[in-house]
Amino acid sequence: MRFATGVEFPLLPHVLARMEYGQTIYPDLLIPYPATGGAERDKVVGGTGRVGIAYNFGGPDKTTATPPSGAADPFAGFYLGLEGGAEMANLHYQYIDPTPFRSYIDFAAKGFTGGLFAGYGKTFHNIYGGVQAGFAM
């Protein structure tokens, strides 16, 4: 299961900034060991925090007047950007033995993540909608 939240906002004409955080919780994995009567239980949780900047090829041009229909949409149109951030994962390992012996081990890993993203968006009566695709390393 993955949960994520983020925000995008205009910085300059045609330049957008974004921040996002996501967390992935994988299903518990139970591996039985019939020969010994024991079992292994693994739980993995991962999180990603990213910041990015994009150029919007649409949106208002500050050198022209605002159209008479109302305020120009700073997010309208196609955009392309770069993002980077931190990625972390935690593995909780538990060995269950039929005797009173049990072991618990926690592993953690951290690293850099970055990539490209592109999308198209538009505001419809104060509600923003669009599509986006990305490539992360």
Side-chain angles (χ1 to χ4, degrees):
M1 185 179 320
R2 179 159 176 81
F3 301 96
T5 186
V7 63
E8 292 183 355
F9 51 93
L11 279 180
L12 300 168
H14 298 284
V15 179
L16 305 173
R18 69 186 293 173
M19 294 181 289
E20 67 180 43
Y21 176 77
Q23 187 167 20
T24 306
I25 302 170
Y26 296 94
D28 287 358
L29 179 62
L30 183 63
I31 303 169
Y33 298 123
T36 63
E40 173 183 327
R41 177 175 289 138
D42 299 324
K43 181 176 182 73
V44 179
V45 177
T48 304
R50 293 185 185 138
V51 295
I53 191 161
Y55 184 81
N56 187 334
F57 294 95
D61 186 355
K62 296 297 182 186
T63 61
T64 61
T66 302
S69 62
D73 181 359
F75 291 108
F78 175 77
Y79 57 89
L80 179 67
L82 298 168
E83 63 185 357
E87 204 163 48
M88 48 248 140
N90 293 307
L91 169 65
H92 307 285
Y93 167 86
Q94 176 185 12
Y95 180 75
I96 305 163
D97 194 296
T99 64
F101 173 75
R102 289 178 183 239
S103 64
Y104 301 93
I105 302 172
D106 287 335
F107 299 98
K110 296 178 183 175
F112 173 79
T113 181
L116 302 170
F117 63 94
Y120 180 85
K122 187 162 179 63
T123 302
F124 303 94
H125 305 288
N126 294 331
I127 297 175
Y128 178 79
V131 294
Q132 180 175 297
F135 173 76
M137 298 181 272

